[in-house]
Amino acid sequence: MKKANIVTNILVCSYNELTEEQKKVIDCAKDACTRAYAPYSCFSVGAAALLANGEIIKGSNQENAAYPSGICAERTTLFYAGANYPDTPVCKLAIAAMKDGAYITEPTAPCGACRQVILETENRYSSPIEILLYGEEKVYIVSSIKELLPLSFGKENL
Ligand code: THU
């Protein structure tokens, strides 16, 4: 028997240290938060996906009185991108969140279901997606969902 350790590589930085392109995608995710439909959780999440053609797709969480029928911002965004630009890879995905009218200070990480969908999107285009997690005090950057979803289940398992 032996112990195996999995390492997650995260870049921690401030908004000012980002490239102009990274800032633009984050700004879009912050803007998307303002259009969340989150009357039940009062937690507004925004996501923005930069596509390989330079377009940025925005989405937000859309809740439902029947709670499981709602959907997260990341999946709203990636499903829209996949449905409307099926041949265009996603290069970057930014996520921001708002609570009590203010952007959260610590970055919010995608939930398990969204991680699985981000993985599917990477696999679909055979292209890693840089993920930018925004917090007012710091930003986390990972170069691929594989950092956040190790030991994943994907098409190679079928
Ligand atoms: N939410 C997202 O939109 N993305 C995440 O990664 C985490 C959670 C939403 C779902 C729900 O509308 C609200 O945040 C509270 O869980």
Side-chain angles (χ1 to χ4, degrees):
M1 192 190 296
K2 67 174 184 178
K3 193 174 159 192
N5 293 312
I6 294 173
V7 176
T8 296
N9 296 291
I10 303 180
L11 216 60
V12 182
C13 61
S14 69
Y15 179 83
N16 292 331
E17 291 176 285
L18 302 172
T19 65
E20 290 311 307
E21 190 175 56
Q22 289 170 327
K23 283 182 187 170
K24 197 169 156 192
V25 187
I26 285 184
D27 292 348
C28 286
K30 289 175 74 177
D31 178 54
C33 284
T34 64
R35 285 183 296 280
Y37 176 63
Y40 304 104
S41 71
C42 297
F43 189 70
S44 299
V45 185
L50 172 67
L51 308 186
N53 65 6
E55 285 193 52
I56 298 179
I57 304 297
K58 299 180 195 179
S60 52
N61 54 334
Q62 301 293 316
E63 298 186 347
N64 195 287
Y67 293 178
S69 299
I71 191 165
C72 294
E74 297 88 325
R75 277 175 288 156
T76 304
T77 305
L78 291 178
F79 289 155
Y80 183 91
N84 290 283
Y85 302 86
D87 301 321
T88 312
V90 176
C91 303
K92 294 186 195 297
L93 180 71
I95 302 160
M98 246 178 161
K99 207 168 143 180
D100 302 325
Y103 292 107
I104 50 162
T105 51
E106 292 287 313
T108 287
C111 76
C114 288
R115 290 178 198 212
Q116 189 68 33
V117 170
I118 298 169
L119 175 70
E120 188 70 26
T121 310
E122 284 197 357
N123 288 342
R124 175 175 180 169
Y125 301 110
S126 305
S127 167
I129 299 173
E130 181 182 74
I131 302 167
L132 304 152
L133 307 177
Y134 178 76
E136 284 278 86
E137 288 174 2
K138 59 171 105 89
V139 176
Y140 292 160
I141 306 175
V142 294
S143 57
S144 161
I145 192 61
K146 288 177 182 139
E147 296 293 342
L148 301 180
L149 192 65
L151 289 180
S152 57
F153 181 84
K155 61 182 178 185
E156 66 283 359
N157 301 109
L158 294 172

